[in-house]
Amino acid sequence: MPEAYRRTLIRQISQHAHSEIVGMLPEGNWITRAPSLKRKAALLAKVQDEGGHGLYLYAAAETLGIAREELLELLLAGRQKYSSIFNYPTLTWADIGVIGWLVDGAAIMNQIPLCRCSYGPYARAMIRICKEESFHQRQGFEIMLTLCRGTPAQKAMAQDALNRWWWPVLMMFGPPDQDSQHTDTAMRWKIKRFTNDELRQKFVDATVPQGHFLGLQFPDPELKFDTETGHWAFGPIDWAEFKRVIAGDGPCNRQRMAQRRAAHAAGAWVREAALAYAEKRRARAAATMSVAAE
Ligand SMILES: [Fe+2]
Ligand SMILES: [Fe+2]
């Protein structure tokens, strides 16, 4: 395997894995405040799925010859990134609807093509992840539908969440093609099959009619259907905000990393116990083997 291909995959898969586990934090914030038992059960299952996605992806990265512990250290040291979207706060229950509908929706748009990428362990992990993401997307849309068919206050809450999340979600697809450092090589190596701008456009085209079905307005005065191209045209994205958030200065970067570090420290005893148990089993198996050999 060419070294540059291996390094690119490690960077991409680990960034993806980190996004799954950091993404648990903004939603975990609402588990204790979900409005009903049904909503709580669905949200718990979703957040747990995201932890599982992290697990499959760290395992896929390990096939490239890097240990999961090392990747987690890089994340905690701030030397590897996670998706910029998880640096925004979840202020109301409607944010949980918008995250499922739009954030998981954008993730699906990005990830479906990865099910056929050139690296087998990553592609196979993505197949299962995409099935679960589509459940996440539908539960989010259903929360939005309930709010939009509810009281005027509930509808206003849904609209406010869309207003705050729409632009950061469009940024999830990464910088525009002319500024993207990694796109060309990743396309040549068949890790990526569509460019950032192509995926962003596909997402906008799929999502705008859903928002209109909900009776919501998108916070973009330039959004309009272009009959010539058959696509929804949208206004300029604030890339300065994107750069600021990526560089660590988003609304929640410090809080997310602090929570992640605290969770890592609180889980140390579990990792130590699992290692001690594995060691004991190994020693017991070795002893049985040597008795059998005598
Ligand atoms: Fe996920
Ligand atoms: Fe998800």
Side-chain angles (χ1 to χ4, degrees):
M1 179 186 297
E3 185 54 20
Y5 176 78
R6 190 179 80 91
R7 275 203 317 268
T8 301
L9 278 169
I10 289 177
R11 183 181 54 78
Q12 181 170 334
I13 300 174
S14 57
Q15 182 171 322
H16 191 165
H18 299 330
S19 303
E20 300 285 355
I21 62 166
V22 176
M24 297 168 79
L25 299 171
E27 290 184 291
N29 183 32
W30 279 90
I31 290 173
T32 54
R33 291 178 286 163
S36 69
L37 186 59
K38 178 187 132 187
R39 294 297 187 200
K40 190 186 182 108
L43 182 57
L44 260 175
K46 180 196 192 279
V47 172
Q48 208 165 26
D49 283 352
E50 306 300 6
H53 297 171
L55 185 67
Y56 314 152
L57 289 163
Y58 284 121
E62 285 194 311
T63 64
L64 293 157
I66 188 156
R68 193 190 309 177
E69 292 76 12
E70 202 177 325
L71 295 173
L72 283 168
E73 271 164 31
L74 288 168
L75 168 69
L76 297 179
R79 291 178 50 210
Q80 277 190 338
K81 309 247 179 259
Y82 54 89
S83 175
S84 61
I85 195 73
F86 300 118
N87 291 312
Y88 290 85
T90 42
L91 304 180
T92 71
W93 172 251
D95 291 33
I96 300 304
V98 163
I99 289 182
W101 174 36
L102 299 180
V103 175
D104 290 89
I108 293 170
M109 215 39 109
N110 256 323
Q111 293 171 8
I112 292 278
L114 290 173
C115 296
R116 294 179 53 211
C117 81
S118 58
Y119 189 59
Y122 192 27
R124 287 189 288 275
M126 286 329 298
I127 293 171
R128 176 154 174 188
I129 290 179
C130 283
K131 286 188 183 148
E132 294 177 348
E133 297 300 3
S134 91
F135 154 71
H136 299 169
Q137 199 267 350
R138 275 175 287 168
Q139 69 87 39
F141 188 77
E142 208 261 330
I143 291 175
M144 294 304 281
L145 197 58
T146 306
L147 291 174
C148 290
R149 288 177 176 171
T151 63
Q154 286 174 311
K155 176 128 190 225
M157 200 202 274
Q159 180 64 59
D160 169 65
L162 175 60
N163 294 349
R164 285 181 288 107
W165 288 87
W166 177 244
W167 291 108
V169 165
L170 294 189
M171 294 173 197
M172 280 177 72
F173 295 92
D177 293 349
Q178 77 262 23
D179 302 341
S180 171
Q181 327 164 21
H182 304 297
T183 297
D184 278 0
T185 352
M187 300 266 293
R188 208 148 30 85
W189 288 338
K190 298 201 165 38
I191 297 171
K192 240 181 130 107
R193 296 177 48 241
F194 298 97
T195 70
N196 295 353
D197 286 335
E198 284 168 349
L199 290 168
R200 189 167 13 246
Q201 187 64 58
K202 271 171 180 273
F203 173 77
V204 171
D205 290 343
T207 307
V208 170
Q210 296 169 0
H212 291 160
F213 179 82
L214 292 170
L216 296 174
Q217 303 284 318
F218 287 86
D220 178 359
E222 294 180 43
L223 187 71
K224 67 166 193 300
F225 189 73
D226 183 335
T227 43
E228 252 167 58
T229 61
H231 294 295
W232 283 89
F234 50 94
I237 294 171
D238 180 1
W239 292 112
E241 174 181 329
F242 177 73
K243 286 194 188 118
R244 213 162 48 234
V245 176
I246 287 277
D249 207 15
C252 298
N253 298 55
R254 285 165 200 86
Q255 182 189 340
R256 299 288 182 245
M257 288 309 288
Q259 283 175 316
R260 197 52 244 156
R261 275 190 205 103
H264 194 70
W269 72 271
V270 179
R271 294 190 296 277
E272 280 158 21
L275 279 174
Y277 180 65
E279 189 44 52
K280 210 154 95 183
R281 281 183 54 154
R282 209 167 13 241
R284 205 178 290 150
T288 317
M289 292 266 283
S290 68
V291 168
E294 272 166 19

PDB file of all heavy atoms in Angstrom, residues 93-109:
ATOM      1  N   TRP A  93     -35.076  21.719  22.326  1.00  0.00           N
ATOM      2  CA  TRP A  93     -35.409  20.371  21.863  1.00  0.00           C
ATOM      3  C   TRP A  93     -35.449  20.311  20.328  1.00  0.00           C
ATOM      4  O   TRP A  93     -35.100  19.295  19.726  1.00  0.00           O
ATOM      5  CB  TRP A  93     -36.736  19.898  22.472  1.00  0.00           C
ATOM      6  CG  TRP A  93     -37.187  18.608  21.881  1.00  0.00           C
ATOM      7  CD1 TRP A  93     -38.239  18.414  21.034  1.00  0.00           C
ATOM      8  CD2 TRP A  93     -36.568  17.315  22.053  1.00  0.00           C
ATOM      9  NE1 TRP A  93     -38.312  17.099  20.651  1.00  0.00           N
ATOM     10  CE2 TRP A  93     -37.302  16.389  21.273  1.00  0.00           C
ATOM     11  CE3 TRP A  93     -35.464  16.856  22.785  1.00  0.00           C
ATOM     12  CZ2 TRP A  93     -36.976  15.044  21.200  1.00  0.00           C
ATOM     13  CZ3 TRP A  93     -35.136  15.510  22.713  1.00  0.00           C
ATOM     14  CH2 TRP A  93     -35.883  14.622  21.934  1.00  0.00           C
ATOM     15  N   ALA A  94     -35.843  21.418  19.691  1.00  0.00           N
ATOM     16  CA  ALA A  94     -35.910  21.421  18.225  1.00  0.00           C
ATOM     17  C   ALA A  94     -34.535  21.179  17.612  1.00  0.00           C
ATOM     18  O   ALA A  94     -34.428  20.668  16.488  1.00  0.00           O
ATOM     19  CB  ALA A  94     -36.486  22.742  17.716  1.00  0.00           C
ATOM     20  N   ASP A  95     -33.471  21.518  18.330  1.00  0.00           N
ATOM     21  CA  ASP A  95     -32.123  21.274  17.808  1.00  0.00           C
ATOM     22  C   ASP A  95     -31.888  19.771  17.607  1.00  0.00           C
ATOM     23  O   ASP A  95     -31.143  19.371  16.712  1.00  0.00           O
ATOM     24  CB  ASP A  95     -31.053  21.840  18.752  1.00  0.00           C
ATOM     25  CG  ASP A  95     -31.064  23.375  18.770  1.00  0.00           C
ATOM     26  OD1 ASP A  95     -32.153  23.964  18.625  1.00  0.00           O
ATOM     27  OD2 ASP A  95     -29.990  23.974  18.922  1.00  0.00           O
ATOM     28  N   ILE A  96     -32.527  18.964  18.452  1.00  0.00           N
ATOM     29  CA  ILE A  96     -32.372  17.508  18.302  1.00  0.00           C
ATOM     30  C   ILE A  96     -33.057  17.058  17.010  1.00  0.00           C
ATOM     31  O   ILE A  96     -32.548  16.201  16.279  1.00  0.00           O
ATOM     32  CB  ILE A  96     -32.944  16.768  19.549  1.00  0.00           C
ATOM     33  CG1 ILE A  96     -32.184  17.216  20.812  1.00  0.00           C
ATOM     34  CG2 ILE A  96     -32.889  15.241  19.397  1.00  0.00           C
ATOM     35  CD1 ILE A  96     -30.679  17.036  20.756  1.00  0.00           C
ATOM     36  N   GLY A  97     -34.205  17.668  16.699  1.00  0.00           N
ATOM     37  CA  GLY A  97     -34.870  17.379  15.429  1.00  0.00           C
ATOM     38  C   GLY A  97     -34.011  17.803  14.248  1.00  0.00           C
ATOM     39  O   GLY A  97     -33.804  17.051  13.299  1.00  0.00           O
ATOM     40  N   VAL A  98     -33.485  19.030  14.324  1.00  0.00           N
ATOM     41  CA  VAL A  98     -32.673  19.543  13.211  1.00  0.00           C
ATOM     42  C   VAL A  98     -31.388  18.737  13.034  1.00  0.00           C
ATOM     43  O   VAL A  98     -30.971  18.471  11.903  1.00  0.00           O
ATOM     44  CB  VAL A  98     -32.362  21.050  13.418  1.00  0.00           C
ATOM     45  CG1 VAL A  98     -31.213  21.484  12.537  1.00  0.00           C
ATOM     46  CG2 VAL A  98     -33.583  21.881  13.062  1.00  0.00           C
ATOM     47  N   ILE A  99     -30.780  18.319  14.122  1.00  0.00           N
ATOM     48  CA  ILE A  99     -29.540  17.535  13.996  1.00  0.00           C
ATOM     49  C   ILE A  99     -29.830  16.234  13.252  1.00  0.00           C
ATOM     50  O   ILE A  99     -29.116  15.868  12.307  1.00  0.00           O
ATOM     51  CB  ILE A  99     -28.892  17.260  15.378  1.00  0.00           C
ATOM     52  CG1 ILE A  99     -28.309  18.567  15.920  1.00  0.00           C
ATOM     53  CG2 ILE A  99     -27.802  16.197  15.269  1.00  0.00           C
ATOM     54  CD1 ILE A  99     -27.606  18.418  17.255  1.00  0.00           C
ATOM     55  N   GLY A 100     -30.892  15.527  13.651  1.00  0.00           N
ATOM     56  CA  GLY A 100     -31.217  14.277  12.954  1.00  0.00           C
ATOM     57  C   GLY A 100     -31.540  14.535  11.487  1.00  0.00           C
ATOM     58  O   GLY A 100     -30.998  13.888  10.588  1.00  0.00           O
ATOM     59  N   TRP A 101     -32.414  15.497  11.266  1.00  0.00           N
ATOM     60  CA  TRP A 101     -32.852  15.796   9.886  1.00  0.00           C
ATOM     61  C   TRP A 101     -31.681  16.272   9.019  1.00  0.00           C
ATOM     62  O   TRP A 101     -31.431  15.739   7.938  1.00  0.00           O
ATOM     63  CB  TRP A 101     -33.966  16.859   9.938  1.00  0.00           C
ATOM     64  CG  TRP A 101     -34.422  17.378   8.611  1.00  0.00           C
ATOM     65  CD1 TRP A 101     -34.545  16.666   7.444  1.00  0.00           C
ATOM     66  CD2 TRP A 101     -34.808  18.731   8.314  1.00  0.00           C
ATOM     67  NE1 TRP A 101     -34.998  17.512   6.447  1.00  0.00           N
ATOM     68  CE2 TRP A 101     -35.155  18.774   6.952  1.00  0.00           C
ATOM     69  CE3 TRP A 101     -34.899  19.901   9.074  1.00  0.00           C
ATOM     70  CZ2 TRP A 101     -35.585  19.947   6.322  1.00  0.00           C
ATOM     71  CZ3 TRP A 101     -35.337  21.066   8.449  1.00  0.00           C
ATOM     72  CH2 TRP A 101     -35.673  21.078   7.090  1.00  0.00           C
ATOM     73  N   LEU A 102     -30.942  17.284   9.496  1.00  0.00           N
ATOM     74  CA  LEU A 102     -29.918  17.907   8.639  1.00  0.00           C
ATOM     75  C   LEU A 102     -28.502  17.370   8.840  1.00  0.00           C
ATOM     76  O   LEU A 102     -27.810  17.101   7.860  1.00  0.00           O
ATOM     77  CB  LEU A 102     -29.910  19.426   8.852  1.00  0.00           C
ATOM     78  CG  LEU A 102     -31.208  20.167   8.523  1.00  0.00           C
ATOM     79  CD1 LEU A 102     -31.036  21.651   8.773  1.00  0.00           C
ATOM     80  CD2 LEU A 102     -31.652  19.904   7.089  1.00  0.00           C
ATOM     81  N   VAL A 103     -28.080  17.228  10.099  1.00  0.00           N
ATOM     82  CA  VAL A 103     -26.685  16.801  10.317  1.00  0.00           C
ATOM     83  C   VAL A 103     -26.529  15.339   9.897  1.00  0.00           C
ATOM     84  O   VAL A 103     -25.614  14.986   9.154  1.00  0.00           O
ATOM     85  CB  VAL A 103     -26.243  17.031  11.778  1.00  0.00           C
ATOM     86  CG1 VAL A 103     -24.840  16.479  12.010  1.00  0.00           C
ATOM     87  CG2 VAL A 103     -26.296  18.520  12.116  1.00  0.00           C
ATOM     88  N   ASP A 104     -27.447  14.485  10.343  1.00  0.00           N
ATOM     89  CA  ASP A 104     -27.376  13.086   9.899  1.00  0.00           C
ATOM     90  C   ASP A 104     -27.684  12.994   8.405  1.00  0.00           C
ATOM     91  O   ASP A 104     -27.116  12.164   7.698  1.00  0.00           O
ATOM     92  CB  ASP A 104     -28.307  12.194  10.725  1.00  0.00           C
ATOM     93  CG  ASP A 104     -27.801  12.037  12.159  1.00  0.00           C
ATOM     94  OD1 ASP A 104     -28.167  12.860  13.007  1.00  0.00           O
ATOM     95  OD2 ASP A 104     -26.998  11.118  12.418  1.00  0.00           O
ATOM     96  N   GLY A 105     -28.574  13.875   7.921  1.00  0.00           N
ATOM     97  CA  GLY A 105     -28.892  13.906   6.482  1.00  0.00           C
ATOM     98  C   GLY A 105     -27.651  14.246   5.655  1.00  0.00           C
ATOM     99  O   GLY A 105     -27.376  13.618   4.633  1.00  0.00           O
ATOM    100  N   ALA A 106     -26.884  15.237   6.118  1.00  0.00           N
ATOM    101  CA  ALA A 106     -25.652  15.611   5.404  1.00  0.00           C
ATOM    102  C   ALA A 106     -24.630  14.472   5.509  1.00  0.00           C
ATOM    103  O   ALA A 106     -23.913  14.176   4.545  1.00  0.00           O
ATOM    104  CB  ALA A 106     -25.076  16.893   5.990  1.00  0.00           C
ATOM    105  N   ALA A 107     -24.585  13.836   6.682  1.00  0.00           N
ATOM    106  CA  ALA A 107     -23.644  12.717   6.861  1.00  0.00           C
ATOM    107  C   ALA A 107     -23.967  11.607   5.857  1.00  0.00           C
ATOM    108  O   ALA A 107     -23.065  11.048   5.221  1.00  0.00           O
ATOM    109  CB  ALA A 107     -23.713  12.200   8.296  1.00  0.00           C
ATOM    110  N   ILE A 108     -25.262  11.317   5.656  1.00  0.00           N
ATOM    111  CA  ILE A 108     -25.641  10.257   4.714  1.00  0.00           C
ATOM    112  C   ILE A 108     -25.172  10.617   3.300  1.00  0.00           C
ATOM    113  O   ILE A 108     -24.614   9.787   2.580  1.00  0.00           O
ATOM    114  CB  ILE A 108     -27.172  10.044   4.711  1.00  0.00           C
ATOM    115  CG1 ILE A 108     -27.631   9.481   6.057  1.00  0.00           C
ATOM    116  CG2 ILE A 108     -27.597   9.098   3.585  1.00  0.00           C
ATOM    117  CD1 ILE A 108     -29.136   9.476   6.229  1.00  0.00           C
ATOM    118  N   MET A 109     -25.386  11.881   2.920  1.00  0.00           N
ATOM    119  CA  MET A 109     -24.991  12.343   1.585  1.00  0.00           C
ATOM    120  C   MET A 109     -23.496  12.125   1.357  1.00  0.00           C
ATOM    121  O   MET A 109     -23.057  11.704   0.294  1.00  0.00           O
ATOM    122  CB  MET A 109     -25.315  13.826   1.526  1.00  0.00           C
ATOM    123  CG  MET A 109     -25.786  14.363   0.215  1.00  0.00           C
ATOM    124  SD  MET A 109     -26.886  13.325  -0.692  1.00  0.00           S
ATOM    125  CE  MET A 109     -28.428  14.171  -0.550  1.00  0.00           C
TER     126      MET A 109
END
